Amino acid sequence: MIGRRPLLLGLASAVATPRGLGAAARGETPSALPLAMNGAWRQGGYALGRTAPRALIFVDGEALSTASADGLFIVGFDRDAAAEVDIEARDGAQSTRRRIAVAPYDFPSTRIDGLPPATVEPSDPALLERIRQEVLVKTEAFASRADTDDFRDGFVWPLETYRVSSAWGAQRVLNGTPARPHYGVDLAAPIGTVIRAPADGRVIFTRPDMHFEGGLTLIDHGQGLISAYLHQSQIDVAAGQTVRRGDPMGRVGMSGRATGPHLCWRLKWRDRNLDPSLLIGARPPERLA
């Protein structure tokens, strides 16, 4: 399993900063707009929030999302997120801002040898064109922005039995060459093991034969939160299909760039890479008074 326990800061906004400080000292604007947040406030983590229904959500001054009709929203922190982030909710003339401290995390390094050279440093023109086309279709899929809050009940593990064979965020060395960090949690399991949806959502992309990912499925959980399932031997859902937590989606394989049977489970919030395991059991703040 992952060697270090994540720093889970499940704190409501009322106790997220020292009591007795004024609004400005707490990094928030004086306003009556309600705003409560909890989550895993660390690199690769997230904040789950509740505010006024349909309020605009700003992150470091940029409008990035809209709260659901129930006032729920999510904000993700990338692997290399800065030490602080400002999250603001605006509803008409009202707004409330919170400054969150994002804890650093000591990511491990992993080495993988024996990969086919074409999967590490491809050079064939036809293969490079194929990879370019696959990047385009993935980019289009990751741009999906379903107006839902299917993340509201948290996630469960997509496999019932597994072994974490590679931790999220690890710096990878492939065939001796440093590569980009690993933005997935690798769950080793026998080929054919059933993969189940960890949360409600809508399937937005499937393809059985991606060069790097092999059998790939993407699910939109709302507001730009999209999970990915790589190296599948079989895909049992189709784009446009709605899935509920626990629904079977496919089966574990070792297609694409893989040296053994496993599921690589990934998660993105907009353009930020998140650790999906941190959303296991997550719950948003209770309803506001």
Side-chain angles (χ1 to χ4, degrees):
M1 295 295 292
I2 297 173
R4 299 182 59 180
R5 297 288 294 177
L7 181 61
L8 296 180
L9 304 179
L11 304 178
S13 60
V15 296
T17 51
R19 294 178 180 271
L21 295 180
R26 295 198 305 268
E28 59 189 67
T29 56
S31 172
L33 187 68
L35 176 61
M37 290 184 288
N38 60 28
W41 296 351
R42 48 148 278 194
Q43 291 176 326
Y46 65 93
L48 279 176
R50 189 184 292 272
T51 185
R54 313 308 296 175
L56 292 176
I57 306 301
F58 289 73
V59 181
D60 290 331
E62 182 180 3
L64 290 183
S65 191
T66 302
S68 70
D70 209 22
L72 298 177
F73 68 89
I74 188 167
V75 171
F77 310 132
D78 208 354
R79 179 185 185 275
D80 301 314
E84 291 186 332
V85 61
D86 284 338
I87 298 177
E88 180 181 2
R90 296 185 192 176
D91 183 25
Q94 293 184 318
S95 67
T96 298
R97 178 171 60 89
R98 300 274 190 263
R99 182 174 300 126
I100 290 179
V102 180
Y105 195 76
D106 184 16
F107 297 103
S109 178
T110 61
R111 184 181 183 95
I112 301 177
D113 295 312
L115 291 168
T119 66
V120 179
E121 296 182 359
S123 58
D124 178 73
L127 177 55
L128 290 174
E129 175 60 19
R130 174 187 173 183
I131 292 171
R132 188 185 74 83
Q133 292 296 328
E134 291 182 350
V135 168
L136 291 176
V137 296
K138 286 185 294 184
T139 300
E140 181 180 1
F142 276 114
S144 177
R145 300 288 184 265
D147 185 17
T148 64
D149 54 13
D150 289 330
F151 51 80
R152 65 186 303 150
D153 293 324
F155 283 40
V156 296
W157 290 99
L159 303 181
E160 294 181 2
T161 303
Y162 59 88
R163 175 179 59 85
V164 175
S165 55
S166 182
W168 187 89
Q171 175 62 56
R172 286 201 151 175
V173 180
L174 306 179
N175 290 359
T177 301
R180 68 197 298 261
H182 182 227
Y183 291 122
V185 178
D186 283 353
L187 307 178
I191 290 178
T193 300
V194 175
I195 302 166
R196 299 186 181 277
D200 294 356
R202 181 172 62 88
V203 179
I204 55 172
F205 181 86
T206 65
R207 186 167 292 183
D209 58 353
M210 302 288 282
H211 175 68
F212 291 117
E213 298 90 352
L216 174 64
T217 298
L218 302 180
I219 298 179
D220 188 335
H221 303 285
Q223 301 181 19
L225 188 70
I226 297 173
S227 58
Y229 308 83
L230 287 65
H231 311 306
Q232 297 177 81
S233 61
Q234 179 177 314
I235 296 174
D236 297 323
V237 292
Q241 180 178 338
T242 296
V243 293
R244 300 300 181 191
R245 186 168 65 179
D247 285 352
M249 303 191 308
R251 295 182 180 272
V252 170
M254 54 179 295
S255 55
R257 187 167 71 183
T259 57
H262 72 284
L263 172 67
C264 179
W265 183 26
R266 300 188 178 189
L267 186 68
K268 294 187 78 168
W269 181 73
R270 300 179 180 266
D271 61 345
R272 308 177 187 203
N273 295 285
L274 314 183
D275 181 347
S277 70
L278 296 181
L279 273 162
I280 302 294
R283 292 291 186 275
E286 298 296 326
R287 290 187 177 274
L288 303 166

